[in-house]
Amino acid sequence: MKLIILGLLLGVFALVFGMSANLTNFDTLKFFLDPASFAVVFVLTVGTLLIGFQGSFISSVTSIWKRDIDDQTLDRSIQFWKAAKRYAIAYGFIGSLIGMVFTLHAFGDDDLGGVGPAISISLITVYYGLISGYLIFDPIACLLEARK
């Protein structure tokens, strides 16, 4: 468990290090916060998981910290977290398409001030999808696979 926490802390530190320009400007962290992008990735991912794993959604989530789980639940939980990774990454790219629509719409305006924020939405959603998929969901699936 200590290695899991250490790995997560290292990942978070690396992200904050990069997002804050080498830990010199923490004001830049606000550029990486976008509620709409968060909703596109995480709400859609959870919704899709609820649909696809109706009978095992709760047990798949709680399998992370439960020690004594049967093989069937463990296999289903591994499938769940691998699916969460795929869905988060896919919805990140769908969010990118939404941002690109906003970008193209902004190009039609006389004032191009909306282009930057629109591109930002596009990039942040991909960022959320990749970070959640590779920093959160994939390591959980690997952790559960190691229990087999």
Side-chain angles (χ1 to χ4, degrees):
M1 188 60 140
K2 291 179 183 178
L3 287 177
I4 296 168
I5 294 170
L6 177 64
L8 187 59
L9 288 174
L10 284 173
V12 170
F13 174 77
L15 289 174
V16 171
F17 185 81
M19 294 181 330
S20 65
N22 303 332
L23 302 177
T24 59
N25 187 1
F26 290 101
D27 289 339
T28 58
L29 293 177
K30 67 182 174 201
F31 299 140
F32 293 89
L33 300 176
D34 185 56
S37 296
F38 182 87
V40 165
V41 173
F42 290 100
V43 173
L44 286 173
T45 298
V46 169
T48 305
L49 289 168
L50 282 169
I51 293 167
F53 292 86
Q54 292 175 6
S56 59
F57 183 89
I58 299 296
S59 64
S60 295
V61 172
T62 59
S63 67
I64 300 168
W65 57 82
K66 284 187 178 177
R67 285 286 171 208
D68 297 325
I69 53 177
D70 60 283
D71 287 340
Q72 183 180 3
T73 303
L74 186 59
D75 288 338
R76 191 71 173 151
S77 298
I78 292 168
Q79 290 176 356
F80 175 89
W81 291 105
K82 286 182 176 182
K85 173 188 170 185
R86 289 191 313 271
Y87 298 153
I89 292 169
Y91 289 132
F93 283 105
I94 289 172
S96 176
L97 294 174
I98 293 169
M100 293 312 293
V101 168
F102 290 151
T103 302
L104 293 173
H105 182 68
F107 277 129
D109 295 340
D110 291 335
D111 178 23
L112 295 178
V115 172
I119 292 174
S120 173
I121 290 171
S122 180
L123 294 174
I124 290 297
T125 20
V126 171
Y127 178 77
Y128 286 166
L130 291 172
I131 292 302
S132 61
Y134 287 110
L135 185 64
I136 299 169
F137 302 143
D138 195 38
I140 291 172
C142 290
L143 170 74
L144 293 174
E145 285 178 331
R147 286 191 195 170
K148 278 185 102 168

